[in-house]
Amino acid sequence: MRVAEAVGQGLAKLGADTVFGVVGSGNFHVTNALIAGGARFVAARHEGGATVMADAWARTTGRPGVVSVHQGPGLTNAMTGIAEAAKSRTPLLVLAAEAPEIRSNFHVDVAGLAAAVGAVGERIYSPASALADVQRAYTTALGRRTVILALPLNVQAAAFEGDPSRGGLGGSSPLAYRAQAAPRTYPAGPAVEAVTAIAAVLRGADQPVFIAGRGARGRAGRASARADLERLADACGALLATSAVAKGLFRGNPWNLDVSGGFASPLAAELITGADLIVGWGCSLNMWTMRHGKLVGTGATLIQVDDDATALGAHRPVHLGVVGDVAETARAVADALLGDREGEPRSVRHKNGDYGGYRSPAVRERIAREVRWRDVPFTDDSDGQRIDPRALSIALDDLLPAERTVAVDSGNFMGYPSMYLSVPDEAGFCFTQAFQSIGLGLASAIGAAVARPDRLTIAALGDGGALMGVSELETVVRLGIPMVVVVYDDEAYGAEVHHFGPDGDPLDTVRFPPTDIAAIGRGFGFEGVTVRSAGDLGPVRDWLAGPRERPLLIDAKVTSSRGSWWLEEAFRGH
Ligand SMILES: Cc1ncc(C[n+]2csc(CCOP(=O)(O)OP(=O)(O)O)c2C)c(N)n1
Ligand SMILES: [Mg+2]
């Protein structure tokens, strides 16, 4: 047996059961060994797509994603997806074949590439160390890191003496081998002083708001922190919100404000700005989530809880930063509050069966009536030739089944699906925006769809991002995924048009002639529909009612007379 085969089989034993990639000579044997070891291999058409698929699969399942790429250009093609994953703390293992010969056409500095985008560079060093090297890389990925594991061609080709099922540390049984790769123990509960300190601040707060981020989502076999956060919020009368990457976490809770930040509805923004205490739970409270600080009211107290000490205060100063796992910390603080015999926390005053503070019947009623974007009145710009993207999104929200996954690309359009399409829970929203790259949306939808075949996946793309990532349309068809791809087609890099248009700059570089994207979809094997008005949505209805034998691509010719309001916020961050 060659080392390549031992690596593939060893990884399959570690739990790599779904692998994305593009196969070339350098990763042929390792990929086949993974398949022989029981893994499902999903072939993408571009390594960027493969990597984003693995990232989205990892976000949706909470388990480490694995991607396999050829040496040199296979890895450089994957770099944008790797940067997105690294910035998002996605547990991801990139198996990167490596040409060690410095004069090889395929040679690149793998460790340098990893370091450049914040990933961890790892390597298999020798036949003797190969399995231990694999195990170390996989375990590092489990700790929410993106790891590039270089697989030098000469080491891969060398003979492997041993039994790959016996693991990397020698002599251990296959079972022990798997156990060694189990997720690291999460940080122990927060310090007692920290719990007391949070409880004291919560007791003194009249209008607290919790904002939960990525760190509150479930991962690696653990449920999300939803139940613990809701229990604590009930105990102190807090309203609940999330950052965009955790959208859906509090779905159905009557005190849920949905997303905080640029996507916040007017009511959500009003209530967050009115908070006297904001607690970020596994949430960086960055410029997006806090609208460059505009959502932090004057005199508001900020608390941040994160299991990563370096995240505390990284984006804005906080009054109290606590290192701790989100669910464990919320549970401990709730225990402290609920066990308080001195009296109930200040904002838990039962008035006619309801809470005081922010949890008044009036606030509850306003949330029910106004917090969803689709309930905010707007003037419909549709003119028969082009449909207002808000009207389109609301119509789709009505038509699409509730059990859905929404994956969104980047661009001016991105707020429409994010704000107007509801999702069943946080796993139903895939938001690969940490690197702000366009062109990732379709691949992220594929990865999420592979992870959750029980849900209908909707890829929401701009025309620019759709054409940049177009090769993966073939992957959707080949995999037989009954996906809906909706392209918000303004025939432009709308973000740039609205960024520079007001200054009178020439816009020829960012405007394009009309493209029949529905026909492109049909060429790949999609059913293709062009939508210019709500009246054109009949085929979408039919497709949803039908057997959904082929995926559906909607080329929605959208109005674009002005930039979207969240984009103005975004430009302040450039
Ligand atoms: C890979 C990459 N290249 C360029 C950009 C700069 N950029 C940001 S938004 C955008 C336009 C995207 O166009 P489209 O997908 O049609 O969405 P729209 O803004 O028109 O809604 C561009 C080019 C980027 N973010 N990422
Ligand atoms: Mg566009």
Side-chain angles (χ1 to χ4, degrees):
M1 178 185 288
R2 280 171 287 204
V3 169
E5 284 146 348
V7 166
Q9 287 189 24
L11 253 176
K13 281 263 180 281
L14 281 168
D17 56 17
T18 307
V19 179
F20 299 82
V22 175
V23 171
S25 57
N27 61 332
F28 183 82
H29 293 302
V30 73
T31 305
N32 279 337
L34 272 156
I35 296 167
R40 174 184 179 189
F41 179 68
V42 178
R45 286 300 189 163
H46 189 286
E47 289 83 355
T51 309
V52 174
M53 289 174 206
D55 178 347
W57 183 91
R59 292 179 201 222
T60 309
T61 59
R63 297 174 50 212
V66 181
V67 58
S68 167
V69 300
H70 184 66
Q71 62 270 26
L75 178 59
T76 53
N77 265 358
M79 287 315 296
T80 301
I82 293 172
E84 168 64 35
K87 284 172 184 279
S88 294
R89 296 291 304 266
T90 299
L92 184 70
L93 181 62
V94 183
L95 302 172
E98 181 188 41
E101 270 297 317
I102 202 129
R103 290 189 198 285
S104 161
N105 296 84
F106 286 127
H107 179 77
V108 286
D109 174 3
V110 177
L113 285 172
V117 295
V120 179
E122 279 285 5
R123 155 170 283 103
I124 55 165
Y125 290 96
S126 69
S129 70
L131 286 186
D133 297 333
V134 167
Q135 184 160 330
R136 188 179 62 250
Y138 193 75
T139 308
T140 303
L142 274 165
R144 293 192 291 134
R145 297 304 302 270
T146 294
V147 179
I148 302 179
L149 177 62
L151 306 175
L153 297 178
N154 53 345
V155 181
Q156 285 199 65
F160 178 78
E161 313 280 341
D163 176 358
S165 71
R166 297 190 75 82
L169 300 182
S172 49
S173 71
L175 206 65
Y177 182 34
R178 193 179 264 274
Q180 286 159 8
R184 288 195 313 209
T185 3
Y186 288 90
V192 177
E193 299 85 343
V195 172
T196 313
I198 299 176
V201 181
L202 284 177
R203 266 192 210 100
D206 282 318
Q207 309 208 133
V209 171
F210 288 178
I211 304 179
R214 181 180 292 113
R217 294 181 58 142
R219 59 178 178 266
R222 278 165 45 111
S224 79
R226 174 176 181 157
D228 290 304
L229 288 172
E230 286 182 328
R231 176 168 166 258
L232 177 59
D234 285 348
C236 67
L239 304 183
L240 297 159
T242 68
S243 62
V245 288
K247 179 179 168 70
L249 183 71
F250 297 118
R251 173 81 200 270
N253 187 302
W255 306 106
N256 180 22
L257 303 179
D258 201 24
V259 175
S260 173
F263 298 163
S265 67
L267 177 62
E270 176 192 323
L271 292 169
I272 295 164
T273 313
D276 60 352
L277 169 64
I278 292 173
V279 188
W281 296 96
C283 171
S284 66
L285 302 174
N286 65 22
M287 66 180 184
W288 308 107
T289 307
M290 302 320 295
R291 276 194 197 173
H292 297 271
K294 274 203 289 186
L295 295 183
V296 183
T298 326
T301 301
L302 262 65
I303 297 180
Q304 199 184 347
V305 177
D306 206 293
D307 66 5
D308 175 3
T310 65
L312 299 175
H315 287 273
R316 70 187 54 257
V318 292
H319 299 90
L320 177 60
V322 170
V323 180
D325 173 76
V326 168
E328 284 179 32
T329 306
R331 204 174 315 139
V333 176
D335 288 346
L337 283 184
L338 294 166
D340 179 5
R341 298 194 177 274
E342 309 265 308
E344 289 176 317
R346 260 178 53 190
S347 49
V348 186
R349 285 179 295 243
H350 293 266
K351 282 186 203 152
N352 306 324
D354 221 315
Y355 293 96
Y358 245 0
R359 291 201 168 193
S360 68
V363 168
R364 185 182 174 128
E365 202 184 307
R366 280 192 74 197
I367 291 173
R369 236 180 321 111
E370 295 174 45
V371 86
R372 296 189 312 168
W373 266 107
R374 52 171 299 159
D375 296 327
V376 176
F378 68 96
T379 310
D380 190 335
D381 280 347
S382 306
D383 59 8
Q385 283 309 301
R386 301 201 152 265
I387 186 166
D388 186 311
R390 295 164 293 186
L392 168 75
S393 305
I394 292 171
L396 290 174
D397 194 42
D398 288 336
L399 287 174
L400 296 166
E403 275 300 307
R404 60 177 83 148
T405 303
V406 177
V408 185
D409 207 336
S410 203
N412 174 65
F413 79 96
M414 69 198 261
Y416 300 117
S418 305
M419 292 149 76
Y420 290 88
L421 297 184
S422 66
V423 293
D425 55 33
E426 75 280 12
F429 192 62
C430 197
F431 198 66
T432 42
Q433 304 289 343
F435 198 29
Q436 275 186 260
S437 174
I438 66 167
L440 310 188
L442 176 59
S444 67
I446 297 171
V450 170
R452 290 298 302 261
D454 55 315
R455 289 180 166 171
L456 179 67
T457 301
I458 294 99
L461 317 175
D463 51 305
L467 293 174
M468 193 176 275
V470 74
S471 60
E472 303 305 348
L473 287 177
E474 190 277 335
T475 305
V476 178
V477 173
R478 178 167 31 87
L479 295 181
I481 299 172
M483 181 184 289
V484 176
V485 176
V486 52
V487 182
Y488 290 75
D489 185 359
D490 63 353
E491 293 155 8
Y493 288 156
E496 319 306 345
V497 168
H498 300 300
H499 192 169
F500 297 106
D503 298 333
D505 287 315
L507 297 172
D508 307 348
T509 52
V510 288
R511 282 203 173 124
F512 297 92
T515 303
D516 188 348
I517 299 178
I520 291 175
R522 283 193 286 274
F524 278 100
F526 274 70
E527 199 163 308
V529 184
T530 303
V531 170
R532 295 183 173 278
S533 70
D536 295 336
L537 287 168
V540 176
R541 214 170 279 118
D542 295 344
W543 184 89
L544 287 165
R548 304 180 191 173
E549 270 161 3
R550 291 186 292 165
L552 176 70
L553 188 145
I554 304 169
D555 181 14
K557 306 291 187 185
V558 294
T559 56
S560 60
S561 48
R562 57 192 171 79
S564 46
W565 52 103
W566 64 88
L567 197 70
E568 286 168 24
E569 295 286 337
F571 291 149
R572 298 182 59 216
H574 276 247

